[in-house]
């Protein structure tokens, strides 16, 4: 292991967590992180909900379920060590009818199988005890679901890497990847037109929205393709924040790929409502040329139309939020920054549900890292590190 040079593409929380793990657990290795933006956590990490998920929904035995539970524990300990915010705000799933209560029962069974601690069913009175302004026929409470500041965590991880002798090169976009003799090469550029070739023994791609393009440079196929969805948020006005104590979510409908509008208290006190999910324009040409998108669109066109209506009208957005908290009005909502979710979509139109990795000689690609990737980041780093950067 001594002297081995490990490259990581992407300074989001997954890439930085992996870099920190390598510098800590494999001290003989040299680590370089390549990031095209001028700051870390500039994309998905910096625009997510801040929720540390407990593992309520994920298929037992999946990487999502396993790494979420492990990641939550690692993240809690890391935040305590670094004096970063980590607050167990608690989460309620709110059922509005008998059908949703039946789905709650299945989610409760999944949560227990995943080892989520202290989950319990609630009736209408129990819901009001935890969230006085929520109304529903029943609920499921996860008291240890937490909130944090993932940007602060990413910045701390980057500092850890630098202190350990690793490099985090910002403003360094990767424009080509190649397999070399006994290693891998990344060609980077800058606004001045300078080109630099970096040589690594092993290169790991944690590229988020650009993962599929980078993977193709490494010799991978184009399946799955990353399809970006933009989520629009609103923030509750300060005088309406009292309406939400913690995290208030609808019961997921397994027929649809997205959750719908929910309410989230953040560590700095603000409360957001959202997101809805709309196809992002950033890679529209690539998306429209991908057969999987049209398969998905045919199955879920009605949901897509509804999401467009929610995005276009604050009144409709407020109506969605009132399904959980009747006291919210359109006057209580303020536009908030949006975020983009990098969703891997297979050629047949199915959404890739679990974390997915591919190895191509000396280049390893994280092909899919959707939510709860931020929650799971330290565990993903541990899992990846032990598989691809073994002790030698």
């Amino acid at each position: 292991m001594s002297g081995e040079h490990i490259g990581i593409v992407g300074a989001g929380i997954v890439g930085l967590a992996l870099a920190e793990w390598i510098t800590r657990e494999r001290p003989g290795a040299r680590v370089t992180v390549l990031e095209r933006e001028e700051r870390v956590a500039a994309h998905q990490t910096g625009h997510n909900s801040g929720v540390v998920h407990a593992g309520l929904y994920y298929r037992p035995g999946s990487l999502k379920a396993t790494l979420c539970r492990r990641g939550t524990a690692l993240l809690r300990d890391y935040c305590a060590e670094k004096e970063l915010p980590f607050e167990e705000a608690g989460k309620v799933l709110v059922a509005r009818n008998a059908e949703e209560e039946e789905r709650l029962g299945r989610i409760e069974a999944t949560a227990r199988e995943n080892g989520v601690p202290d989950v319990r069913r609630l009736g209408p009175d129990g819901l009001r005890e935890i969230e006085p302004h929520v109304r529903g026929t029943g609920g499921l409470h996860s008291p240890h679901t937490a909130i944090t500041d993932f940007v602060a965590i990413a910045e701390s991880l980057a500092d850890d890497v630098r202190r350990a002798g690793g490099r985090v090169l910002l403003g360094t976009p990767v424009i080509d990847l190649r397999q070399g003799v006994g290693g891998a090469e990344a060609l980077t550029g800058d606004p001045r037109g300078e080109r630099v070739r970096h040589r690594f023994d092993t290169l790991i791609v944690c590229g988020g929205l650009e993962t599929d393009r980078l993977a193709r440079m490494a010799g991978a196929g184009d399946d799955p393709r990353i399809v970006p969805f933009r989520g629009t948020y609103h923030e509750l006005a300060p005088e309406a924040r009292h309406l939400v104590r913690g995290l208030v979510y609808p019961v997921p409908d397994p027929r649809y790929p997205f959750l719908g509008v929910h309410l989230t208290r953040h560590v700095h006190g603000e409360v957001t409502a959202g997101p809805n999910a709309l196809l992002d324009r950033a890679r529209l040409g690539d998306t429209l040329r991908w057969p999987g998108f049209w398969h998905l669109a045919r199955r879920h066109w009605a949901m897509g139309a509804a999401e467009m209506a929610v995005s276009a009208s604050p009144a409709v957005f407020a109506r969605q939020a009132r399904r959980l908290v009747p006291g919210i009005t359109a006057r209580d909502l303020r536009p908030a920054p949006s975020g983009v979710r990098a969703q891997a979509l297979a050629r047949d139109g199915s959404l890739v549900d679990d974390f997915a990795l591919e190895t191509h000689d000396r280049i390893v690609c994280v092909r899919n890292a959707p939510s709860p990737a931020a929650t799971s980041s330290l565990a993903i780093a541990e899992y990846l590190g032990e598989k691809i950067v073994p002790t030698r």
Side-chain angles (χ1 to χ4, degrees), residues 320-370:
Q320 291 290 312
R322 277 200 301 275
R323 297 169 72 183
L324 301 172
V325 180
I328 292 175
T329 71
R331 293 188 302 274
D332 296 323
L333 298 177
R334 309 284 187 270
S338 62
V340 177
R341 168 180 172 177
Q343 175 62 56
L345 181 64
R347 183 177 289 274
D348 65 2
S350 60
L351 299 176
V352 180
D353 183 60
D354 209 353
F355 301 141
L357 313 174
E358 287 183 5
T359 299
H360 301 275
D361 196 12
R362 293 301 187 98
I363 301 178
V364 179
C365 301
V366 180
R367 293 298 300 260
N368 193 49

Side-chain angles (χ1 to χ4, degrees), residues 44-288:
Q44 292 183 101
T45 302
H47 296 86
N48 72 22
S49 63
V51 176
V52 182
H53 295 282
L56 297 177
Y57 315 118
Y58 314 125
R59 178 174 53 83
S62 65
L63 277 178
K64 270 190 178 183
T66 303
L67 298 181
C68 179
R69 293 301 309 144
R70 172 67 175 157
T72 297
L74 292 173
L75 204 62
R76 181 182 60 242
D77 292 346
Y78 184 84
C79 288
E81 176 191 347
K82 301 293 183 178
E83 298 183 342
L84 296 171
F86 187 98
E87 177 187 344
E88 290 188 343
K91 172 179 178 177
V92 290
L93 304 186
V94 181
R96 295 172 298 125
N97 52 49
E99 180 185 351
E100 290 186 353
E101 288 195 58
E102 184 179 346
R103 293 206 295 265
L104 272 187
R106 294 194 289 271
I107 293 170
E108 180 184 15
T110 295
R112 294 190 186 284
E113 193 169 350
N114 286 339
V116 180
D118 301 327
V119 292
R120 65 186 179 101
R121 292 291 292 274
L122 304 170
D125 292 339
L127 267 177
R128 283 192 291 272
E129 287 179 11
I130 294 166
E131 290 284 355
H133 299 281
V134 166
R135 295 294 179 268
T137 61
L140 183 70
H141 185 216
S142 171
H144 301 295
T145 297
I147 53 178
T148 190
D149 183 339
F150 284 116
V151 173
I153 293 170
E155 290 170 343
S156 177
L157 290 167
D159 288 341
D160 292 341
V161 171
R162 295 183 184 107
R163 279 193 295 268
R167 297 189 301 166
V168 180
L169 303 183
L170 304 177
T172 308
V174 172
I175 57 178
D176 194 19
L177 297 176
R178 292 183 182 179
Q179 304 282 356
V181 177
E185 295 181 346
L187 181 66
T188 62
D190 65 22
R192 297 184 301 275
E194 295 182 8
R195 300 289 183 261
V196 178
R197 193 169 296 280
H198 307 260
R199 291 178 173 83
F200 304 104
D201 296 288
T202 302
L203 180 64
I204 303 102
V205 175
C206 305
L209 290 166
E210 299 298 318
T211 288
D212 54 346
R213 292 177 173 175
L214 292 163
R216 289 197 296 273
M217 292 178 191
D222 62 0
D223 192 359
R225 179 75 59 84
I226 294 296
V227 174
F229 288 90
R230 181 168 294 278
T232 301
Y233 289 88
H234 285 71
E235 184 177 332
L236 293 191
E239 60 271 20
R241 291 176 180 173
H242 70 281
L243 295 172
V244 179
R245 286 181 172 178
L247 312 174
V248 181
Y249 279 54
V251 179
D253 189 331
R255 294 173 299 174
Y256 301 118
F258 298 110
L259 181 61
V261 171
H262 46 280
L263 298 152
T264 305
R265 179 167 290 277
H266 296 257
V267 291
H268 302 297
E270 67 273 24
V271 177
T272 55
N276 65 328
L278 290 175
L279 192 64
D280 189 67
R281 297 178 182 179
R283 295 183 55 183
L284 190 57
D286 280 353
T287 298
L288 296 179

